[in-house]
Amino acid sequence: MYSDILVPTDGSESVKQVLEHTVDIAEGRDVTAHVLYVVDDRAFLAMDDEMHDEVLENLRAEGQAAVSTVQKALEAEGIEVSTAISRGDPADRIVSYVEEAGIDLVTMGTHAGEYEKNMLGSTSQKVVTKSPAPVLTVDVSE
């Protein structure tokens, strides 16, 4: 049923909780886990033009570290992994990746306890609403 699972990451430690569920679902299946980090370019709107390149390079480096960490954890569990770094609005890029890569399931964290933020449009809420594939959200609130 699930052969391609997308695990979006923002580089936070909370991804470990998401990975527990991802590994559980992938266990015993021929699954490829796709790990995606999105450089949120909305941060560039209020930034001086001469700072863009340096900040973008730093964010890409953070993204590479984030996907590498998740990749290693999943590969240690015997799961095949594909990684990608994208740029744009995180929710939009995640949904686009789902459509382009033929993703069967998205596993991602949410801060379920932050009711107001979620009602105003958290990334996970937007992905749940727009994704053509099922989305498993894991409460990573502390």
Side-chain angles (χ1 to χ4, degrees):
M1 177 177 243
Y2 301 119
S3 59
D4 289 280
I5 301 174
L6 176 60
V7 183
T9 182
D10 63 2
S12 65
E13 286 292 312
S14 62
V15 74
K16 290 178 182 176
Q17 294 167 272
V18 175
L19 292 180
E20 291 175 16
H21 293 272
T22 306
V23 168
D24 191 49
I25 293 166
E27 190 173 5
R29 293 185 168 98
D30 184 21
V31 167
T32 299
H34 299 253
V35 182
L36 175 65
Y37 180 91
V38 179
V39 175
D40 188 348
D41 65 3
R42 295 174 297 177
F44 295 104
L45 295 175
M47 189 180 302
D48 292 334
D49 289 340
E50 60 271 1
M51 294 178 67
H52 284 205
D53 290 340
E54 180 181 345
V55 171
L56 181 59
E57 187 55 40
N58 288 339
L59 291 173
R60 285 182 196 230
E62 286 178 21
Q64 187 56 51
V67 297
S68 179
T69 298
V70 174
Q71 177 181 16
K72 288 175 186 173
L74 291 170
E75 286 178 343
E77 297 291 336
I79 299 170
E80 183 179 330
V81 178
S82 173
T83 64
I85 297 176
S86 185
R87 180 178 169 189
D89 176 274
D92 292 342
R93 291 304 310 138
I94 292 167
V95 172
S96 292
Y97 192 95
V98 168
E99 295 167 347
E100 294 163 7
I103 298 299
D104 304 308
L105 176 69
V106 180
T107 58
M108 64 187 302
T110 185
H111 294 277
E114 296 179 17
Y115 178 78
E116 288 180 9
K117 180 179 178 184
N118 286 321
M119 293 287 66
L120 294 174
S122 70
T123 297
S124 56
Q125 185 271 335
K126 290 176 184 174
V127 172
V128 166
T129 302
K130 296 178 179 181
S131 175
V135 180
L136 170 66
T137 57
V138 178
D139 184 1
V140 296
S141 302
E142 294 179 286

